[in-house]
Short mmCIF file of all heavy atoms in Angstrom, two decimals:
data_model
loop_
_atom_site.label_atom_id
_atom_site.label_comp_id
_atom_site.label_asym_id
_atom_site.label_seq_id
_atom_site.Cartn_x
_atom_site.Cartn_y
_atom_site.Cartn_z
N TYR A 652 31.49 20.53 11.25
CA TYR A 652 30.64 20.02 12.32
C TYR A 652 30.44 18.51 12.18
O TYR A 652 30.52 17.76 13.13
CB TYR A 652 29.30 20.76 12.29
CG TYR A 652 28.34 20.28 13.34
CD1 TYR A 652 28.56 20.53 14.69
CD2 TYR A 652 27.21 19.55 12.99
CE1 TYR A 652 27.69 20.07 15.66
CE2 TYR A 652 26.33 19.10 13.96
CZ TYR A 652 26.57 19.37 15.29
OH TYR A 652 25.69 18.91 16.24
N ILE A 657 31.72 12.74 13.60
CA ILE A 657 32.22 11.41 13.23
C ILE A 657 33.32 10.98 14.18
O ILE A 657 33.37 9.85 14.62
CB ILE A 657 32.73 11.41 11.79
CG1 ILE A 657 31.54 11.59 10.84
CG2 ILE A 657 33.46 10.13 11.47
CD1 ILE A 657 31.96 11.95 9.47
N ALA A 702 -6.52 -35.00 13.03
CA ALA A 702 -7.40 -34.49 14.09
C ALA A 702 -7.53 -32.97 13.99
O ALA A 702 -8.63 -32.41 14.09
CB ALA A 702 -6.84 -34.88 15.46
N GLU A 709 -14.62 -28.73 10.91
CA GLU A 709 -15.90 -28.68 11.62
C GLU A 709 -16.27 -27.25 11.96
O GLU A 709 -17.39 -26.80 11.70
CB GLU A 709 -15.80 -29.53 12.89
CG GLU A 709 -17.14 -29.81 13.52
CD GLU A 709 -16.98 -30.34 14.95
OE1 GLU A 709 -15.96 -31.04 15.20
OE2 GLU A 709 -17.84 -30.06 15.79
N HIS A 716 -21.99 -21.82 7.84
CA HIS A 716 -23.44 -22.00 7.94
C HIS A 716 -24.07 -20.78 8.60
O HIS A 716 -25.06 -20.23 8.12
CB HIS A 716 -23.75 -23.28 8.72
CG HIS A 716 -25.22 -23.44 9.00
ND1 HIS A 716 -26.12 -23.89 8.05
CD2 HIS A 716 -25.94 -23.20 10.13
CE1 HIS A 716 -27.33 -23.91 8.58
NE2 HIS A 716 -27.24 -23.50 9.85
N GLU A 736 -9.13 -17.93 16.46
CA GLU A 736 -8.04 -18.09 17.42
C GLU A 736 -7.04 -19.14 16.94
O GLU A 736 -5.84 -19.00 17.10
CB GLU A 736 -8.62 -18.50 18.78
CG GLU A 736 -7.78 -18.00 19.94
CD GLU A 736 -8.27 -18.55 21.27
OE1 GLU A 736 -9.23 -19.34 21.28
OE2 GLU A 736 -7.68 -18.18 22.30
N LEU A 833 -2.77 4.88 12.05
CA LEU A 833 -3.19 5.42 13.34
C LEU A 833 -2.77 6.88 13.51
O LEU A 833 -3.56 7.74 13.94
CB LEU A 833 -2.58 4.57 14.46
CG LEU A 833 -3.25 4.57 15.81
CD1 LEU A 833 -4.66 4.04 15.69
CD2 LEU A 833 -2.46 3.68 16.77
N GLN A 925 16.81 19.77 -21.29
CA GLN A 925 17.46 20.52 -22.35
C GLN A 925 17.81 19.62 -23.52
O GLN A 925 18.08 18.44 -23.34
CB GLN A 925 18.78 21.09 -21.85
CG GLN A 925 18.65 22.23 -20.88
CD GLN A 925 20.02 22.74 -20.51
OE1 GLN A 925 20.92 22.76 -21.35
NE2 GLN A 925 20.18 23.13 -19.28
N PRO A 931 20.49 16.37 -38.13
CA PRO A 931 21.84 16.87 -38.41
C PRO A 931 22.29 17.89 -37.36
O PRO A 931 21.46 18.48 -36.69
CB PRO A 931 21.69 17.54 -39.78
CG PRO A 931 20.35 17.12 -40.30
CD PRO A 931 19.52 16.81 -39.12
N SER A 955 32.94 19.46 -46.14
CA SER A 955 31.96 19.69 -45.09
C SER A 955 30.63 19.00 -45.38
O SER A 955 29.68 19.15 -44.64
CB SER A 955 31.76 21.18 -44.90
OG SER A 955 31.47 21.75 -46.15
N ILE A 1004 11.41 2.06 -27.22
CA ILE A 1004 10.67 0.82 -27.45
C ILE A 1004 9.45 0.66 -26.54
O ILE A 1004 8.64 -0.20 -26.74
CB ILE A 1004 11.57 -0.43 -27.33
CG1 ILE A 1004 12.24 -0.48 -25.95
CG2 ILE A 1004 12.59 -0.45 -28.42
CD1 ILE A 1004 13.05 -1.74 -25.73
N TYR A 1016 10.62 12.66 -39.92
CA TYR A 1016 11.20 12.30 -41.21
C TYR A 1016 10.66 13.24 -42.29
O TYR A 1016 9.48 13.23 -42.62
CB TYR A 1016 10.86 10.84 -41.56
CG TYR A 1016 11.40 9.88 -40.52
CD1 TYR A 1016 10.64 9.55 -39.39
CD2 TYR A 1016 12.70 9.36 -40.61
CE1 TYR A 1016 11.16 8.71 -38.41
CE2 TYR A 1016 13.21 8.52 -39.65
CZ TYR A 1016 12.43 8.21 -38.54
OH TYR A 1016 12.93 7.38 -37.57
N ASP A 1067 22.30 12.37 -62.07
CA ASP A 1067 23.47 12.17 -61.23
C ASP A 1067 23.76 10.69 -60.99
O ASP A 1067 22.85 9.91 -60.75
CB ASP A 1067 23.22 12.84 -59.86
CG ASP A 1067 24.50 13.37 -59.28
OD1 ASP A 1067 25.47 12.59 -59.17
OD2 ASP A 1067 24.52 14.55 -58.92
N LYS A 1152 29.13 17.97 -15.56
CA LYS A 1152 30.00 18.48 -16.63
C LYS A 1152 29.44 18.03 -17.98
O LYS A 1152 29.90 17.07 -18.58
CB LYS A 1152 31.42 17.91 -16.45
CG LYS A 1152 31.99 18.08 -15.09
CD LYS A 1152 32.34 19.51 -14.82
CE LYS A 1152 32.81 19.70 -13.38
NZ LYS A 1152 32.96 21.12 -13.07
N TYR A 1208 38.65 5.66 -32.39
CA TYR A 1208 37.73 4.58 -32.70
C TYR A 1208 36.95 4.84 -33.99
O TYR A 1208 36.08 4.05 -34.35
CB TYR A 1208 36.76 4.39 -31.52
CG TYR A 1208 37.49 4.05 -30.23
CD1 TYR A 1208 37.88 5.05 -29.35
CD2 TYR A 1208 37.81 2.74 -29.92
CE1 TYR A 1208 38.58 4.74 -28.19
CE2 TYR A 1208 38.49 2.41 -28.77
CZ TYR A 1208 38.87 3.42 -27.90
OH TYR A 1208 39.56 3.12 -26.76
N LEU A 1245 28.59 0.71 -37.46
CA LEU A 1245 28.99 0.54 -36.07
C LEU A 1245 29.39 -0.90 -35.80
O LEU A 1245 28.63 -1.84 -36.09
CB LEU A 1245 27.83 0.94 -35.14
CG LEU A 1245 28.06 0.84 -33.63
CD1 LEU A 1245 29.22 1.73 -33.18
CD2 LEU A 1245 26.80 1.22 -32.86
N ILE A 1269 27.08 -6.85 -34.42
CA ILE A 1269 27.06 -7.25 -33.01
C ILE A 1269 27.38 -8.74 -32.87
O ILE A 1269 26.91 -9.43 -31.97
CB ILE A 1269 25.71 -6.91 -32.33
CG1 ILE A 1269 24.54 -7.28 -33.22
CG2 ILE A 1269 25.66 -5.46 -31.94
CD1 ILE A 1269 23.19 -7.04 -32.55
N LYS A 1290 20.47 -1.66 -42.98
CA LYS A 1290 20.42 -2.58 -44.11
C LYS A 1290 21.27 -3.83 -43.89
O LYS A 1290 21.01 -4.88 -44.45
CB LYS A 1290 20.91 -1.87 -45.39
CG LYS A 1290 20.06 -0.69 -45.80
CD LYS A 1290 18.84 -1.14 -46.58
CE LYS A 1290 17.93 0.02 -46.91
NZ LYS A 1290 16.87 0.27 -45.92
N VAL A 1351 19.27 -6.05 -46.21
CA VAL A 1351 19.86 -6.48 -47.48
C VAL A 1351 20.93 -7.52 -47.21
O VAL A 1351 21.19 -8.39 -48.02
CB VAL A 1351 20.44 -5.25 -48.23
CG1 VAL A 1351 21.15 -5.67 -49.52
CG2 VAL A 1351 19.36 -4.24 -48.52
N ASP A 1381 24.52 -14.91 -44.65
CA ASP A 1381 25.74 -15.62 -44.22
C ASP A 1381 26.78 -15.70 -45.33
O ASP A 1381 27.39 -16.74 -45.57
CB ASP A 1381 25.39 -17.03 -43.70
CG ASP A 1381 24.78 -16.97 -42.30
OD1 ASP A 1381 25.25 -16.15 -41.49
OD2 ASP A 1381 23.84 -17.73 -42.03
#
Side-chain angles (χ1 to χ4, degrees):
Chain A
Y652 179 70
I657 291 165
E709 193 194 328
H716 173 79
E736 210 187 2
L833 203 61
Q925 288 183 36
S955 52
I1004 57 176
Y1016 300 89
D1067 213 307
K1152 309 288 175 188
Y1208 300 92
L1245 181 60
I1269 44 177
K1290 298 277 176 268
V1351 176
D1381 284 321

